[in-house]
C-alpha cells in the first residue's frame, strides 16, 4: 500500500508537537503528529477521506483517510470551554471529503483572546497502525503544502472493514475493562432486537454484534475506536441502539470488585511470594480470589471426560437433539438465576447469552449438516472460540474461557442424558482442582466447602467472583503442585496471603485455629450485641447506620443492628430501564424501605448518575472526562423535572421527617440553594409546612474546603470517601492499574475530612461518612478522632463497627488522628492504626 501524504490543513507556522503547551498532546497521549500556530482562520482536509467525528463544541474534527489512518485536528487549546462560540462547521459525521475541502472556520481574534493557545495539533490517533516517516516543521506553510507522510505499520493498512452500502458509526469504547463477557452479552441482546445484520468492526477485524463470543474475540479494550455497522431494513436504528449502549458504559467504568486484583497487584503479590516463600517446603503460593482463612482436608475435584462420537445419526435427529439439550441447559440456568444473588445473576446472564449465540449454534449446525453428531459439532464449535480467546493475550478475556468450557460441558451432559456426579464432601473440605467451573461451584452448598485452591485460573474469573459472593476463601493460579497434594491431607488455606500450607505442624495448626476462633468470636460477640446503642467507652454517641440500595438491603441492615440508613442509593430505581420511574413508583419503594427500618432515620441520596452510571433516557453528551462532567447534582439541575419528581416522592413517605434528603457531588453553595428551591416548591405543592432536613455529600475537594460555607445552610454533611479520594489524589478509581494506590487513608484525604469536620463544627452540624472508609475497621478510630459522629457501613459490617466503637476512647482517637495527619503515606497511616488497634485490643 502506498504511503499517505498529508497536506497542511491551515496556514501558519509548523512546529513540533513537543512545543504544544498541553501535556496530552506534547506527551503524545493521543498519538504522534505536528502542531500549527495558525495565521489563517479556516481548517481544511489534509487528504481525501471521511469525517468520523465532529466534536459537539465544533472545535475539533477527526478524519479517516481511505487507507484507514485517523487524523485528529484540534483547533486551539482548551477551546472546548467556548461551547462552540466562534466556530462554524462545514461538514458532519459521515461526510466524504477531498483534500483541501473546508472543515471548520473560526474567529481568530476571539480565540486569541479567550483560548489558552491558538496552537492546533494535527495528530495520528492510531499510531499502532501508522507511523510518520517524513515531516516538515519549523517553517511557515500555506494550506496544501506538504505536512507529513505516513506509512502503514507492517506494510498493511489498518482499515475498518465497513462494506459499501452499510450504515456505520464510530464509537470510542468507554468501558474501563473493555468489552468482555457481560458487556458482550448486552450488546448481543440489543442487536438481536433488529432484523438487520449488525457487526462490530475493529482494525482489520469484524464480528457479528449478535454473537457475544465473537464480540469478545475482538479483544476490544478501553479507549479503542471501533465501528458499529449494519445492513438491512432497520440498520439506522440498530446502529444507533448499539452505539448508545456502548457509549453508556453499561456500568462497567467502576473499579474491579474488591475481591479481584488488577494485573499490577497480581504481579506484586507474585514477586513478594517469590522473595519470601520460595524456599519454604510444604507451602504452595497463588493469588487471592476471595478472602478468608480456613483449615480443612484436601479433596481432589477432578471432572471426568465426556466422550462424544463423531458420526451423527442423521442431520435432522442431531439438530433436534442439540436444540433439546440447549433448551434444557437454558431452563436450568434461568431457574438458577431467578433465585441467585446479584453476582450469580450477572454471571448466569452472560452464560445465557453465550448459549444463545447464533455463531456458536450456526457453527455446530454446519458440522451436523456434514454428518457429524450434535456433541461433536457443539464441542468443535466451542473449541474454536476457546482457542481464539486463549490466543488473544488478554488476561480478562482468557479467563472467560472457563465460561465457554462450562457451557460445553453442560450441553454435552444434557445430550448424553448424564448428570455431573454428585459427591459427598467431608466436613471442612478444601477443594483442589486444575480449574473450577462456575456451575461446579454453584452446585455445592457454601457450608460444605471450607475453601478451594486451583492450579490455574485468575482473580477476575467468574469462579473468583462467585467465591467472594458465597463467602468461600479461595486461591487461584497456585501451579501444578496443587494436583500433587494427597487426598485427605491436612491443609491451611490463607487467602489474604495467597498461601496453601500442606501438612502443617501442630504449632501452625494451633496458630491458625486461634486466628479463626478469634475472628469467629469477635463476629459472634458483635452480632449478639448488634442492637445495643452505639457509644464510645467514654460515653460519646456515635450513630452507626447502614448503606442500602434496595428493600432487601434495608432488611439486612436492620437485622444487623443498623440504627438507620445513612445512604439509600436510589439508582436501583433509575438504571437498567428505558424510562425513569414515576412519582408513585418511587414513593412506594421509598415507603417500603422506610417501613423496613421501622422508624429509624433514612437518608435518601438524590439521583446520582453520570460518569460510570448511565441511564438510557438521559442522553448525556459525550464528555472527554465523564468523571468531571455531568454527574450527581449537576444531572439533577440539568433535568430539574426528574429532581422535583424524586423530591415529591420522598416527601410522601410516612411518617414525615423519617426521611432526610442528601445531595451528591456538591461543589458550591449555589447548587445546594438550587436544590433547596426545588424542595420548597415541592413542599408547597404537597402543602407540607414541617421542616425536612437537606444535607450534602462531601465528595469534591471544593466541598471539603468550603464546608464552613455549606454547613451554614445544609442540615448535615456526609462524606463520600470513594469519590473524595479519587478527586483528591487525581486517580481514577475505575482504573485497575491505580486501584492498589487509591487509599482513603492517604493523609491528603484525611486532611480534607478534618477540614470538613472543622467547617461543620462552626455551625454545629453533624458530619457522617457513608463511603467505603466507614466499613474499614482500621479507619474507624481515625474518623472519630477527626470529628465524625455518624458512620454508614455495609450491612454485614455494622455489628463489628458498633462493637469497635464501644471499645474506643474519644481522647485516644483524637490523639491518633493528630498523628495520622502528620504521616507521609497511606501505608504509614495504616501501620499507625494497626498499632493502635493492637494497643486497645480491638
Amino acid at each position: 500500500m502506498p504511503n499517505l501524504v498529508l497536506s497542511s490543513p491551515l496556514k501558519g507556522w509548523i512546529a513540533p508537537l513537543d512545543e504544544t503547551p498541553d501535556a496530552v498532546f506534547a506527551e503524545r497521549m493521543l498519538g504522534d503528529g505536528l502542531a500549527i500556530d495558525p495565521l489563517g482562520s479556516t481548517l481544511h482536509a489534509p487528504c481525501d477521506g471521511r469525517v468520523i467525528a465532529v466534536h459537539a463544541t465544533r472545535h475539533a474534527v477527526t478524519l479517516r483517510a481511505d487507507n484507514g489512518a485517523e487524523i485528529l485536528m484540534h483547533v486551539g487549546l482548551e477551546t472546548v470551554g467556548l461551547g462552540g462560540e466562534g466556530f462554524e462547521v462545514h461538514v458532519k459525521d459521515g461526510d466524504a471529503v477531498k483534500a483541501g475541502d473546508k472543515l471548520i472556520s473560526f474567529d481568530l481574534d476571539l480565540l486569541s483572546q479567550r483560548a489558552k493557545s491558538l496552537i492546533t495539533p494535527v495528530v495520528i490517533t492510531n499510531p499502532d497502525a501508522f507511523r510518520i516517516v517524513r515531516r516538515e516543521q519549523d517553517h511557515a506553510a500555506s494550506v496544501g503544502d506538504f505536512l507529513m507522510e505516513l506509512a502503514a505499520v507492517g506494510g498493511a493498512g489498518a482499515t475498518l472493514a465497513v462494506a459499501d452500502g452499510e450504515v456505520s458509526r464510530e464509537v470510542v469504547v468507554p468501558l474501563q475493562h473493555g468489552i468482555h463477557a457481560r458487556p458482550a452479552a448486552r450488546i448481543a441482546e440489543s442487536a438481536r432486537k433488529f432484523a438487520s445484520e449488525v457487526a462490530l468492526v475493529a482494525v482489520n477485524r469484524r464480528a457479528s454484534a449478535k454473537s457475544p463470543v465473537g464480540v469478545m474475540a475482538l479483544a476490544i479494550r478501553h479507549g479503542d475506536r471501533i465501528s458499529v455497522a449494519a445492513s438491512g431494513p432497520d440498520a439506522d436504528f440498530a446502529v444507533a441502539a448499539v452505539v448508545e449502549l456502548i457509549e453508556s458504559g453499561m456500568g462497567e467504568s467502576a473499579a474491579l470488585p474488591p475481591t479481584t486484583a488488577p494485573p499490577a497487584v497480581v504481579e506484586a503479590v507474585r514477586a513478594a511470594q517469590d522473595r519470601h516463600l520460595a524456599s519454604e517446603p510444604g507451602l504452595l503460593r497463588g493469588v487471592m480470589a476471595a478472602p478468608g482463612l480456613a483449615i480443612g482436608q484436601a479433596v481432589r475435584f477432578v471432572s471426568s471426560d465426556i466422550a462424544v462420537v463423531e458420526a451423527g445419526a442423521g442431520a435432522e435427529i442431531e439438530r433436534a437433539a442439540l436444540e433439546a439439550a440447549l433448551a434444557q441447559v437454558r431452563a436450568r440456568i434461568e431457574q438458577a438465576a431467578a433465585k441467585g444473588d446479584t453476582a450469580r445473576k450477572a454471571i448466569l446472564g452472560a452464560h445465557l447469552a453465550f448459549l444463545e449465540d447464533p455463531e456458536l449454534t450456526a457453527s455446530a449446525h454446519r458440522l451436523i449438516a456434514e454428518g457429524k453428531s450434535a456433541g461433536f459439532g457443539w464441542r468443535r464449535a466451542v473449541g474454536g472460540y476457546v482457542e481464539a480467546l486463549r490466543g488473544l493475550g488478554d488476561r480478562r478475556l482468557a479467563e472467560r474461557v472457563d465460561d465457554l468450557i462450562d457451557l460445553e460441558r453442560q450441553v454435552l451432559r444434557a445430550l448424553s442424558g448424564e448428570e455431573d456426579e454428585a459427591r459427598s464432601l467431608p466436613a471442612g473440605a478444601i477443594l483442589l482442582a486444575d480449574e473450577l467451573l462456575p456451575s461446579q461451584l454453584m452446585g455445592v452448598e457454601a457450608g460444605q466447602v471450607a475453601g478451594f485452591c486451583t492450579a490455574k485460573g485468575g482473580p477476575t474469573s467468574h469462579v473468583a467472583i462467585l467465591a467472594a459472593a458465597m463467602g468461600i476463601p479461595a486461591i487461584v493460579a497456585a501451579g501444578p503442585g496443587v494436583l500433587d497434594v494427597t487426598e485427605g491431607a491436612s491443609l491451611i488455606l490463607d487467602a489474604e496471603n495467597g498461601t496453601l500450607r500442606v501438612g502443617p505442624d501442630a504449632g501452625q495448626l494451633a496458630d491458625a485455629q486461634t486466628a479463626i476462633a478469634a475472628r469467629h468470636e469477635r463476629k459472634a460477640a458483635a452480632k449478639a450485641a448488634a442492637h445495643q446503642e452505639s457509644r464510645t467507652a467514654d460515653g460519646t454517641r456515635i450513630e452507626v447506620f447502614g448503606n442500602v440500595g434496595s428493600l432487601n438491603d434495608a432488611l439486612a441492615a436492620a437485622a444487623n443492628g443498623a440504627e438507620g440508613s445513612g445512604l439509600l442509593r436510589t439508582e436501583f430505581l433509575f438504571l437498567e430501564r428505558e424510562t425513569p420511574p414515576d412519582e408513585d413508583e418511587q414513593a412506594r419503594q421509598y415507603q417500603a424501605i422506610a417501613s423496613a427500618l421501622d422508624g429509624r432515620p433514612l437518608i435518601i441520596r438524590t439521583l446520582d448518575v453520570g460518569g460510570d452510571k448511565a441511564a438510557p433516557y438521559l442522553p448525556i453528551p459525550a464528555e472527554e472526562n465523564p468523571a468531571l462532567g455531568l454527574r450527581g447534582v449537576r444531572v439533577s439541575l440539568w433535568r430539574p423535572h426528574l429532581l422535583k419528581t424524586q423530591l415529591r416522592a420522598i416527601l410522601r413517605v410516612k411518617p414525615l421527617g423519617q426521611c432526610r434528603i442528601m445531595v451528591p457531588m456538591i461543589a458550591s453553595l449555589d447548587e445546594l440553594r438550587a436544590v433547596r428551591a426545588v424542595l420548597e416548591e415541592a413542599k408547597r405543592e404537597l402543602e407540607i409546612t414541617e421542616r425536612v432536613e437537606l444535607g450534602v455529600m462531601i465528595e469534591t475537594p471544593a466541598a471539603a474546603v468550603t464546608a464552613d460555607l455549606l454547613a451554614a445552610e445544609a442540615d448535615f454533611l456526609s462524606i463520600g470517601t470513594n469519590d473524595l479520594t479519587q478527586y483528591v489524589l487525581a486517580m481514577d478509581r475505575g482504573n485497575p492499574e491505580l486501584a492498589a494506590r487509591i487509599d482513603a487513608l492517604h493523609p491528603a484525604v484525611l486532611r480534607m475530612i478534618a477540614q470538613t469536620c472543622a467547617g461543620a463544627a462552626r455551625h454545629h452540624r453533624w458530619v457522617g461518612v457513608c463511603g467505603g472508609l466507614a466499613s474499614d475497621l482500621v479507619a474507624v478510630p481515625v474518623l472519630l478522632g477527626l470529628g465524625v459522629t455518624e458512620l454508614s457501613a455495609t450491612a454485614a459490617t455494622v455489628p463489628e463497627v458498633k462493637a469497635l466503637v464501644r471499645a474506643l476512647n474519644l481522647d485516644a482517637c483524637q490523639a491518633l488522628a493528630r498523628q495520622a495527619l502528620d504521616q507521609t503515606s497511606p501505608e504509614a497511616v495504616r501501620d499507625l492504626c494497626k498499632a493502635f488497634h493492637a494497643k486497645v485490643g480491638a
Side-chain angles (χ1 to χ4, degrees):
M1 176 179 290
N3 289 353
L4 174 67
V5 173
L6 301 182
S7 60
S8 177
L10 271 174
K11 178 183 179 181
W13 183 267
I14 311 299
L17 202 59
D18 311 69
E19 294 182 10
T20 307
D22 187 313
V24 170
F25 292 105
E27 295 177 15
R28 292 168 171 75
M29 297 179 190
L30 294 177
D32 197 8
L34 290 166
I36 303 174
D37 195 352
L39 298 174
S41 58
T42 302
L43 184 75
H44 299 259
C47 62
D48 296 350
R50 187 172 296 276
V51 178
I52 59 175
V54 177
H55 199 282
T57 51
R58 298 179 285 193
H59 68 288
V61 60
T62 302
L63 299 184
R64 185 173 64 234
D66 293 338
N67 71 343
E70 295 177 1
I71 306 104
L72 165 67
M73 290 157 282
H74 192 287
V75 180
L77 299 177
E78 297 189 3
T79 43
V80 65
L82 298 178
E85 183 181 359
F87 292 94
E88 180 183 1
V89 176
H90 303 292
V91 292
K92 62 181 184 300
D93 289 2
D95 281 357
V97 295
K98 294 290 186 182
D101 284 355
K102 290 183 179 180
L103 301 176
I104 299 174
S105 298
F106 51 92
D107 187 332
L108 198 59
D109 290 335
L110 176 70
L111 265 63
S112 65
Q113 296 171 23
R114 311 247 321 255
K116 175 183 178 181
S117 170
L118 293 173
I119 287 288
T120 297
V122 180
V123 173
I124 311 307
T125 59
N126 51 347
D128 54 332
F130 292 90
R131 60 188 176 90
I132 301 173
V133 295
R134 187 163 60 100
R135 71 184 87 198
E136 288 285 349
Q137 61 189 43
D138 298 318
H139 68 84
S142 297
V143 173
D145 287 354
F146 174 84
L147 185 69
M148 64 180 99
E149 180 180 354
L150 309 181
V153 174
T159 57
L160 293 174
V162 177
D164 291 339
E166 285 187 323
V167 175
S168 70
R169 277 181 59 187
E170 289 213 343
V171 59
V172 176
V173 176
L175 287 79
Q176 189 65 50
H177 308 303
I179 298 180
H180 55 94
R182 291 183 289 280
R186 291 190 60 186
I187 290 169
E189 180 184 19
S190 177
R192 288 176 192 151
K193 296 176 182 176
F194 301 94
S196 297
E197 292 299 319
V198 190
L200 296 191
V201 186
V203 175
N204 288 327
R205 294 169 293 133
R206 182 185 181 102
S208 169
K210 299 180 181 181
S211 167
V213 182
V215 169
M216 281 171 54
L218 291 177
I220 296 169
R221 298 174 180 270
H222 171 73
D224 282 357
R225 186 182 297 276
I226 65 172
S227 282
V228 180
S231 60
D234 51 4
D236 286 329
F237 298 104
V239 168
V242 174
V243 167
E244 183 178 2
L245 179 63
I246 294 171
E247 287 182 336
S248 76
M250 293 181 266
E252 290 282 334
S253 300
L256 285 171
T259 55
T260 66
V265 176
V266 173
E267 295 307 317
V269 170
R270 289 194 183 282
Q273 291 166 344
D274 289 342
R275 286 194 301 271
H276 300 299
L277 305 175
S279 61
E280 191 169 349
L283 197 67
L284 299 174
R285 54 195 184 277
V287 177
M288 184 185 77
L293 178 67
I295 299 173
Q297 59 176 299
V299 175
R300 299 281 296 278
F301 199 92
V302 180
S303 300
S304 59
D305 290 334
I306 303 173
V308 297
V309 295
E310 182 173 349
E316 188 173 342
I317 294 173
E318 298 296 339
R319 274 196 298 270
L322 179 59
E323 291 306 316
L326 291 171
Q328 180 181 332
V329 174
R330 185 180 300 112
R332 186 181 300 157
I333 292 175
E334 288 173 344
Q335 183 180 10
K339 60 183 180 182
D341 53 33
T342 303
R344 187 173 299 211
K345 285 178 180 177
I347 292 166
L348 291 172
H351 281 199
L352 278 175
F354 292 162
L355 203 64
E356 296 167 357
D357 192 310
E359 298 294 328
L360 272 179
T361 52
S363 178
H365 283 156
R366 282 193 296 271
L367 289 164
I368 288 172
E370 295 171 5
K372 307 301 183 184
S373 71
F376 183 89
W378 180 252
R379 173 169 280 175
R380 181 66 62 87
V382 173
Y385 278 115
V386 165
E387 292 307 311
L389 292 176
R390 279 179 171 158
L392 290 174
D394 185 300
R395 178 186 295 274
R396 287 183 63 82
L397 292 178
E399 287 174 352
R400 299 292 84 83
V401 166
D402 288 353
D403 300 298
L404 285 171
I405 293 174
D406 199 345
L407 285 175
E408 175 201 18
R409 183 177 187 84
Q410 291 183 64
V411 172
L412 293 181
R413 284 287 187 197
L415 281 167
S416 67
E418 301 177 16
E419 295 290 337
D420 271 321
E421 58 276 15
R423 292 195 59 176
S424 176
L425 299 176
I430 294 179
L431 304 182
L432 305 179
D434 187 41
E435 290 185 274
L436 273 180
L437 301 176
S439 65
Q440 292 172 329
L441 187 57
M442 290 182 204
V444 300
E445 295 293 332
Q448 292 182 305
V449 178
F452 71 79
C453 180
T454 60
K456 300 176 183 176
T460 61
S461 67
H462 280 161
V463 164
I465 295 170
L466 279 172
M470 297 170 71
I472 298 175
I475 296 171
V476 295
V482 170
L483 305 180
D484 296 330
V485 176
T486 305
E487 180 89 10
S490 177
L491 303 173
I492 297 175
L493 187 150
D494 185 350
E496 279 94 340
N497 290 315
T499 61
L500 181 73
R501 186 174 296 280
V502 182
D505 60 32
Q508 292 164 339
L509 277 173
D511 289 344
Q513 287 166 344
T514 300
I516 292 172
R519 289 187 188 189
H520 288 167
E521 186 177 339
R522 282 197 304 270
K523 287 187 176 183
K527 183 73 173 177
H531 294 278
Q532 296 177 13
E533 188 179 64
S534 180
R535 289 184 180 275
T536 61
D538 52 353
T540 303
R541 179 77 168 99
I542 304 293
E543 294 179 305
V544 178
F545 288 177
N547 292 337
V548 304
S550 67
L551 175 59
N552 286 338
D553 286 350
L555 292 169
N560 280 339
E563 297 170 303
S565 172
L567 170 63
L568 170 60
R569 303 181 182 93
T570 58
E571 292 74 53
F572 77 99
L573 276 169
F574 289 83
L575 301 180
E576 304 292 338
R577 57 191 295 163
E578 298 301 319
T579 58
D582 62 20
E583 182 181 322
D584 289 341
E585 180 184 356
Q586 291 189 59
R588 285 194 302 272
Q589 293 280 0
Y590 302 150
Q591 184 65 65
I593 291 171
S595 298
L597 291 173
D598 195 23
R600 301 177 185 91
L602 171 59
I603 299 177
I604 301 180
R605 182 176 69 187
T606 57
L607 180 60
D608 187 13
V609 295
D612 60 351
K613 292 175 285 190
Y617 49 83
L618 285 173
I620 294 174
E623 300 174 303
E624 292 185 7
N625 192 336
L628 300 180
L630 279 173
R631 285 198 60 191
V633 68
R634 299 167 193 168
V635 174
S636 295
L637 297 177
W638 176 56
R639 291 293 185 266
H641 63 283
L642 287 177
L643 173 62
K644 187 174 179 181
T645 298
Q646 184 170 32
L647 293 177
R648 283 177 56 95
I650 295 170
L651 291 171
R652 287 169 55 183
V653 175
K654 305 299 181 187
L656 183 67
Q658 179 183 0
C659 293
R660 306 168 187 170
I661 299 167
M662 182 166 66
V663 188
M665 285 298 294
I666 286 287
S668 70
L669 187 57
D670 286 345
E671 291 169 331
L672 173 61
R673 287 171 173 170
V675 174
R676 190 177 287 282
V678 179
L679 175 61
E680 291 303 320
E681 183 180 349
K683 287 173 62 179
R684 285 193 298 271
E685 292 174 355
L686 295 172
E687 299 181 350
I688 294 173
T689 57
E690 293 91 336
R691 179 171 171 271
V692 176
E693 290 191 26
L694 178 66
V696 298
M697 286 193 73
I698 305 297
E699 299 171 278
T700 66
V705 299
T706 60
D708 57 329
L709 302 180
L710 291 170
E713 299 187 25
D715 293 306
F716 62 89
L717 288 72
S718 186
I719 301 169
T721 52
N722 301 347
D723 270 321
L724 181 62
T725 301
Q726 79 162 342
Y727 292 131
V728 170
L729 301 183
M731 291 184 183
D732 182 358
R733 63 190 178 101
N735 186 331
E737 298 301 328
L738 298 176
R741 298 169 57 189
I742 300 177
D743 191 335
L745 280 180
H746 192 290
V749 180
L750 296 182
R751 290 185 179 210
M752 286 288 179
I753 296 173
Q755 193 162 354
T756 299
C757 292
R762 288 179 56 180
H763 300 280
H764 308 289
R765 306 299 191 202
W766 62 265
V767 177
V769 173
C770 60
L773 206 59
S775 302
D776 186 343
L777 297 177
V778 169
V780 166
V782 172
L783 294 177
L784 302 194
L786 292 173
V788 171
T789 60
E790 182 257 4
L791 300 167
S792 194
T794 61
T797 58
V798 164
E800 291 178 270
V801 172
K802 293 182 77 173
L804 174 57
V805 167
R806 295 189 199 101
L808 299 175
N809 179 286
L810 195 58
D811 287 342
C813 291
Q814 290 169 347
L816 172 67
R818 287 192 293 270
Q819 287 182 277
L821 292 176
D822 290 333
Q823 301 304 305
T824 59
S825 70
E827 293 80 12
V829 174
R830 285 198 174 273
D831 288 343
L832 186 69
C833 292
K834 288 175 182 177
F836 178 86
H837 274 256
K839 183 177 179 181
V840 300

